[in-house]
Amino acid sequence: MTELQKELFQLQDEGYRDFHASLMPTVPKKTIIGIRVPVLRSFAKQFFKTEQKNQFLKELPHTYYEENNLHAFMIEQIKDFEEALSETENFLPYIDNWATCDMFFPKVFLKNSERLLPKIRCWITSEHPYTVRYAIGLLMRMFLEEEFLPEYPEMVLRVESEEYYVKMMIAWYFATALAKQYQDIISYFTKPRLDVWTHNKAIQKAIESNRIPEETKKYLKTLKRKT
């Protein structure tokens, strides 16, 4: 075990490990240390200041789930866009679960959305499911408000995947889009254009959302399709 791994095990919460492992069936339990996210983020801020950080970012693949999360949290602290983008592209193929994928978001991307968009277009066509999920997540986080264009849900619609965690992200995207761009998105459900499972899952998520009015939820319930 490396010195870094020893330090990470000192932060272990075994009860949290057992609970969190149940939420990530794609990750072997033996590779989960069990560190709460705020604790690991705090550790990452300190580790980012050390000389070992550059070597750690080169050491892929990692052994433990928390090492992957630490890697993600380190990239988040990079302030240079090109460097953060390069490190992200190196790291994406090694993401193997929804949790690491969804919690990873470099802040420098927010100020460089136009420069990021070509990469999103590339990532969303990847054969690696979590790279695709990550790309859809970026479209959801960054391009559903002022920068929204109708071509973006079309990009998501074109994704063809039977991977559960990709389909769930597509559903999450369209549920969020209903809350933020209702007039442009509702036609995806009235025509309809999504496959039955994703269509119904998106409606379910929209109905569970606090951002959608009750009257709209009632209407969305009438759009559910039989499987």
Side-chain angles (χ1 to χ4, degrees):
M1 186 178 292
T2 67
E3 287 301 316
L4 173 61
Q5 289 169 345
K6 290 178 182 178
E7 290 185 62
L8 292 176
F9 268 92
Q10 290 176 359
L11 304 174
Q12 183 181 56
D13 180 330
E14 292 187 2
Y16 179 74
R17 178 198 62 194
D18 295 342
F19 166 73
H20 206 53
S22 69
L23 302 178
M24 299 187 301
T26 63
V27 181
K29 186 176 179 178
K30 65 181 180 181
T31 66
I32 301 174
I33 298 172
I35 304 175
R36 295 180 181 272
V37 172
V39 174
L40 189 59
R41 283 192 181 277
S42 179
F43 180 87
K45 287 181 180 179
Q46 297 304 314
F47 189 60
F48 188 76
K49 300 174 185 178
T50 69
E51 295 181 358
Q52 296 100 311
K53 71 169 185 178
N54 291 331
Q55 182 61 35
F56 173 73
L57 290 175
K58 295 176 183 177
E59 293 175 354
L60 287 166
H62 298 301
T63 301
Y64 292 99
Y65 162 72
E66 281 82 2
E67 288 181 291
N68 279 330
N69 289 349
L70 176 61
H71 196 122
F73 298 158
M74 299 283 280
I75 297 174
E76 287 183 334
Q77 297 179 69
I78 298 172
K79 296 181 179 180
D80 178 78
F81 172 75
E82 292 296 342
E83 183 182 355
L85 183 62
S86 176
E87 292 293 348
T88 296
E89 194 142 50
N90 289 340
F91 179 54
L92 283 176
Y94 298 95
I95 295 179
D96 61 358
N97 67 89
W98 66 266
T100 302
C101 185
D102 294 358
M103 70 175 72
F104 169 43
F105 183 54
K107 292 185 176 67
V108 71
F109 285 177
L110 280 173
K111 298 179 180 179
N112 295 274
S113 57
E114 289 188 10
R115 297 168 69 188
L116 182 63
L117 196 54
K119 283 298 181 183
I120 294 176
R121 293 183 190 278
C122 178
W123 293 337
I124 206 170
T125 64
S126 171
E127 295 184 0
H128 180 238
Y130 292 103
T131 298
V132 177
R133 183 181 171 102
Y134 188 70
I136 298 170
L138 290 176
L139 286 174
M140 184 175 68
R141 288 183 177 190
M142 299 176 61
F143 296 92
L144 276 180
E145 309 249 7
E146 293 84 359
E147 295 191 51
F148 174 79
L149 290 174
E151 68 182 84
Y152 300 148
E154 289 294 318
M155 289 168 57
V156 179
L157 186 69
R158 287 194 294 269
V159 172
E160 295 183 4
S161 176
E162 291 303 315
E163 292 282 347
Y164 175 78
Y165 290 104
V166 174
K167 294 183 71 172
M168 279 296 293
M169 179 55 82
I170 294 172
W172 187 11
Y173 173 88
F174 278 99
T176 306
L178 280 170
K180 296 188 175 184
Q181 299 292 341
Y182 181 82
Q183 294 302 325
D184 284 283
I185 300 300
I186 189 59
S187 63
Y188 286 85
F189 296 88
T190 56
K191 293 210 173 169
R193 301 184 63 196
L194 297 164
D195 67 82
V196 175
W197 187 92
T198 309
H199 175 104
N200 288 340
K201 184 62 69 173
I203 288 177
Q204 176 191 326
K205 285 182 166 290
I207 290 170
E208 293 170 353
S209 172
N210 294 325
R211 294 177 291 187
I212 293 180
E214 288 302 318
E215 285 301 314
T216 303
K217 291 181 181 181
K218 290 179 182 178
Y219 174 59
L220 290 174
K221 288 179 181 178
T222 70
L223 298 178
K224 284 190 174 181
R225 295 156 64 190
K226 293 183 179 179
T227 56

